[in-house]
Amino acid sequence: VDLKKLLKSLTIEEKIGQTLQIAPFFFNRDSEVEIFGNKTNTYLTQEEIFYAGSVLGIGSAEEMIQTQKKYLSKSRHKIPLLFMADIIHGYVTIFPVPIALGCSFNPKLAYEMARISAKEAQTAGIHVTFSPMADLTRDPRWGRVVEGFGEDPYLLQEFIQEIVKGYQGSNLKDEGVLASCVKHFAAYGAAEQGRDYNTVDLSRLSLYQNYLPAYKKAIDSNARLVMTAFNVVDGIPATVNKFLLRDVLRDQWKFDGVTISDYDSLHQIIEHGVAENDREAAVLGLNNGLDIEMASVCYTKHLKSLIKEKLLDEKLLDEAVYRILKLKDDLGLFDNPYKGASIENEIQFIKSKEHLEYAYQAAIESAVLLKNDQILPLNNIQKISIIGPYLTKKRTNGPWSWKGNQTDNSSLLDVFSNNQHELHYSKDCLNISELDDRDLSYLQSSDIIIVAIGEEVKESGEAHSKTDIKIPRNQAKLVELAKSLNKKVLTILYNGRPLDLSDIDNSDAILEAWFLGSLTNEAIYDLIFGKQVPSGKLVMSFPHNVGQIPIYYNQLNTGRPKVKDVHNEYVSYFLDAPNEAKYPFGFGLSYAKFSYTNLKLNKNKFTINQSIDVSIEVYNDSDYDAYEIVQLYIRDYVARFSRPLKELKGFKKVYIKANTKEKVHFTISKNDLTYLDSNGNEVYDYGKFQVMVGPNSVELDKLDFELIKE
Ligand code: GLC
């Protein structure tokens, strides 16, 4: 399609229409699509509706075909509607929530999640997904940590890259692929107090070093859209922030895709206090680089008069509309406006055996064994009892899984009966007051008591921040009761954020099961009975208590570091809690016992364009074949800026057979040593560095090396 010619042929109303994104119920009142945000009662004329360029959410192939057909029949220009939706961790086949999937330390699994999500979502004619969320997260009070991949910029980038590739495949014109919209640009995860939508106030240094790299990685992986964040950056709402949308995105990163607001976020700059009204919001949006306005009508209602009155340059509108048309053309919509939408495909692809197998594998690799005082794996002769609210819950898909029907999921109880595994006793209960003497006698005669507890799905996700991240008191009492009976207790956690687990610390074993998707409890069952071996490791620190937040592993040393076992009052520490996390970044147990020896470098001096070979031997001193996630961290001792005590720069997930040893190799090269300064320029420093390798961010073998001038 000759896009320039098409653009020239459009009236100004038609051009402005392309920048509008509305929900499908404007086209058909009975749309069952769930939208996330207050339904703005915008007044749109029929003409404005049928000029719109894209649709937010769609429920099925039939609804998409009906909407597209109706739209095109009324359209003079015949430019197809673009359908976008939130496919975050699966469409109907639901994968573990992102924070869980990150704990697999297996970006290739994330690639498969994205590939499968695209294949399923395309059967409903969806063209774009508002995913991945590339927001770095350091504050578990924030409900949306469930949608991110944790606190480390390097791990986050590895996942973001694979997810964008998984969605977009090799050619956007192909059926079964989705254009990826990376979000929320920028630094939405740094909301103060972890309170959603709250102020973000970061130094440029932290913005460049910690928060921006993952969005850049998405763009370098050819993500075609960027969604702006609700929050301010440098006091200016991201949705109209010129520094972000033009200086960084267009000029520095050469992004030529489409920018889209978050839900109603252009209109909300009035609430932010940087525009008097929608008309002023429209000026700021177009001048500062916003292309599509989602679910509000500042552009629709005001751009025409602003351009006619020469208060806005029509060239800016043309540039925005050109990018939107280019995306539609790259997706092949002009050739096939109904691309992918097919009822036969819905039947063939959705929840196929292959898709469920990947979802199961992802669930297995995303669970994290936090504690195991020799009680796991369980066996089939033990008399096992289960109590707690998650005994019968099927709602285990987690937030943002609206098409994943939970009724098909198996509860923990279902899985035991599906395996013809007779439980000694079980009771779905929230409080110990629900347990009478009869119940207690059953518990008393058990060998093992499993307590299945955690958060409700709606306690994490958008607009669901919390100040108290402890296990709810009543649920902790179930664990205390079980322990009071002198029983071995396995606590299984279903939750969407790191929690303060101090009240259930006396569990003999704790399995962090997050929300593992469609096959949550099938995976849990196979893990606790040893059919599968837990391998997940945390991508976000679990604090001792909420007072430690923000807590993350890659902290600076400060000028008065707290040194272990050295008592000095005037150092950086708390009177009432340790500095360290309860369960640190990178931590997770296995049934296997891994030991690390012989950390070696092939040389201890090197110049910036050389590389260093690092090797370490990992011995699996157990009878279990198992995965181990070997992590490599680097420290830059002396630099222009104070640098973190350690930064993850590599990880290898190795399968080590029982009673064997593997030699694991890493290569350190220039981009492991450089960092960004406060202008976003890449810099490095000569001098001493340290390499650290181990099973998590705390238990590390260390060696120094030196970067010398050529
Ligand atoms: C929501 C979310 C965003 C989502 C969008 C469309 O408010 O912030 O992540 O993609 O609206 O549903």
Side-chain angles (χ1 to χ4, degrees), residues 36 56 86 130 144 183-184 227 230 262-263 400 462:
F36 292 78
L56 164 57
D86 292 284
F130 298 125
R144 300 195 78 165
K183 68 190 186 184
H184 305 77
M227 180 190 292
F230 286 119
D262 200 337
Y263 194 96
W400 289 112
E462 185 172 355

Side-chain angles (χ1 to χ4, degrees), residues 494-509:
Y494 301 75
N495 51 298
R497 58 160 54 81
L499 296 172
D500 166 353
L501 302 180
S502 45
D503 284 1
I504 60 159
D505 204 25
N506 59 355
S507 308
D508 298 283

Side-chain angles (χ1 to χ4, degrees), residues 243-395:
F243 163 71
L244 290 177
L245 299 182
R246 291 205 185 279
D247 303 350
V248 174
L249 208 46
R250 303 289 183 198
D251 301 344
Q252 285 181 23
W253 296 354
K254 310 295 177 215
F255 177 62
D256 63 0
V258 170
T259 56
I260 181 170
S261 80
D262 200 337
Y263 194 96
D264 189 44
S265 68
L266 181 58
H267 169 70
Q268 287 163 14
I269 71 167
I270 299 168
E271 290 295 344
H272 275 295
V274 298
E276 189 74 40
N277 49 45
D278 278 355
R279 184 175 163 81
E280 284 187 15
V283 172
L284 286 171
L286 199 66
N287 274 334
N288 296 340
L290 184 73
D291 296 338
I292 294 181
E293 177 180 6
M294 180 198 294
S296 57
V297 291
C298 309
Y299 282 4
T300 299
K301 295 297 184 189
H302 299 287
L303 282 189
K304 182 178 174 183
S305 60
L306 285 163
I307 288 169
K308 293 292 173 220
E309 293 161 35
K310 303 274 181 258
L311 295 171
L312 267 177
D313 182 347
E314 183 160 6
K315 191 170 67 64
L316 294 177
L317 174 63
D318 291 349
E319 286 167 3
V321 175
Y322 181 80
R323 289 190 283 261
I324 297 163
L325 296 178
K326 172 110 179 47
L327 177 59
K328 293 182 177 185
D329 192 33
D330 290 350
L331 280 159
L333 298 191
F334 288 103
D335 306 325
N336 176 4
Y338 304 96
K339 181 182 161 199
S342 126
I343 295 162
E344 303 76 37
N345 288 351
E346 280 177 330
I347 295 160
Q348 185 190 348
F349 297 134
I350 284 182
K351 273 200 159 179
S352 68
K353 186 169 169 297
E354 184 219 10
H355 292 181
L356 288 169
E357 278 165 4
Y358 273 109
Y360 169 80
Q361 187 56 29
I364 289 291
E365 295 192 38
S366 302
V368 184
L369 183 58
L370 293 177
K371 186 178 181 184
N372 182 26
D373 287 353
Q374 279 82 36
I375 74 161
L376 291 181
L378 306 178
N379 62 53
N380 291 335
I381 47 176
Q382 289 164 316
K383 289 191 285 185
I384 296 169
S385 298
I386 306 179
I387 56 175
Y390 270 93
L391 171 73
T392 58
K393 264 192 207 319
K394 293 169 177 280
R395 286 178 57 74

Side-chain angles (χ1 to χ4, degrees), residues 325-564:
L325 296 178
K326 172 110 179 47
L327 177 59
K328 293 182 177 185
D329 192 33
D330 290 350
L331 280 159
L333 298 191
F334 288 103
D335 306 325
N336 176 4
Y338 304 96
K339 181 182 161 199
S342 126
I343 295 162
E344 303 76 37
N345 288 351
E346 280 177 330
I347 295 160
Q348 185 190 348
F349 297 134
I350 284 182
K351 273 200 159 179
S352 68
K353 186 169 169 297
E354 184 219 10
H355 292 181
L356 288 169
E357 278 165 4
Y358 273 109
Y360 169 80
Q361 187 56 29
I364 289 291
E365 295 192 38
S366 302
V368 184
L369 183 58
L370 293 177
K371 186 178 181 184
N372 182 26
D373 287 353
Q374 279 82 36
I375 74 161
L376 291 181
L378 306 178
N379 62 53
N380 291 335
I381 47 176
Q382 289 164 316
K383 289 191 285 185
I384 296 169
S385 298
I386 306 179
I387 56 175
Y390 270 93
L391 171 73
T392 58
K393 264 192 207 319
K394 293 169 177 280
R395 286 178 57 74
T396 54
N397 285 351
W400 289 112
S401 48
W402 43 278
K403 285 295 286 183
N405 47 358
Q406 321 245 24
T407 49
D408 292 359
N409 292 0
S410 301
S411 70
L412 196 54
L413 187 61
D414 293 336
V415 164
F416 272 83
S417 52
N418 296 347
N419 282 281
Q420 287 80 42
H421 191 143
E422 186 68 29
L423 277 170
H424 176 66
Y425 161 79
S426 65
K427 175 129 188 172
D428 184 342
C429 58
L430 249 180
N431 303 292
I432 50 174
S433 55
E434 299 168 56
L435 300 171
D436 61 22
D437 290 348
R438 180 181 155 283
D439 298 311
L440 292 179
S441 68
Y442 272 114
L443 289 172
Q444 187 64 50
S445 57
S446 321
D447 296 321
I448 299 281
I449 298 175
I450 296 176
V451 184
I453 55 176
E455 292 184 311
E456 291 280 338
V457 172
K458 65 179 186 310
E459 292 184 70
S460 59
E462 185 172 355
H464 296 157
S465 301
K466 291 165 70 169
T467 60
D468 179 355
I469 59 169
K470 289 172 79 73
I471 294 284
R473 195 70 214 109
N474 59 320
Q475 296 192 43
K477 280 186 179 156
L478 293 169
V479 176
E480 284 160 14
L481 170 80
K483 282 305 293 173
S484 71
L485 301 173
N486 284 322
K487 295 298 162 191
K488 294 290 183 188
V489 175
L490 160 62
T491 298
I492 301 175
L493 292 175
Y494 301 75
N495 51 298
R497 58 160 54 81
L499 296 172
D500 166 353
L501 302 180
S502 45
D503 284 1
I504 60 159
D505 204 25
N506 59 355
S507 308
D508 298 283
I510 301 173
L511 181 68
E512 174 54 80
W514 306 109
F515 295 110
L516 294 173
S518 303
L519 297 165
T520 295
N521 286 307
E522 289 82 348
I524 289 172
Y525 183 85
D526 290 349
L527 287 165
I528 62 177
F529 285 98
K531 201 163 151 242
Q532 298 280 357
V533 180
S535 60
K537 301 206 173 185
L538 295 177
V539 293
M540 232 182 128
S541 309
F542 275 52
H544 283 273
N545 63 56
V546 76
Q548 285 185 310
I549 292 168
I551 184 167
Y552 45 92
Y553 84 91
N554 44 354
Q555 301 204 338
L556 304 186
N557 200 26
T558 77
R560 293 192 171 193
K562 169 96 174 67
V563 179
K564 209 170 176 57

Side-chain angles (χ1 to χ4, degrees), residues 99 104 109 126 219 255 323 328 406 593 630:
I99 193 172
S104 70
L109 267 180
I126 294 170
I219 286 152
F255 177 62
R323 289 190 283 261
K328 293 182 177 185
Q406 321 245 24
K593 293 279 166 281
V630 182

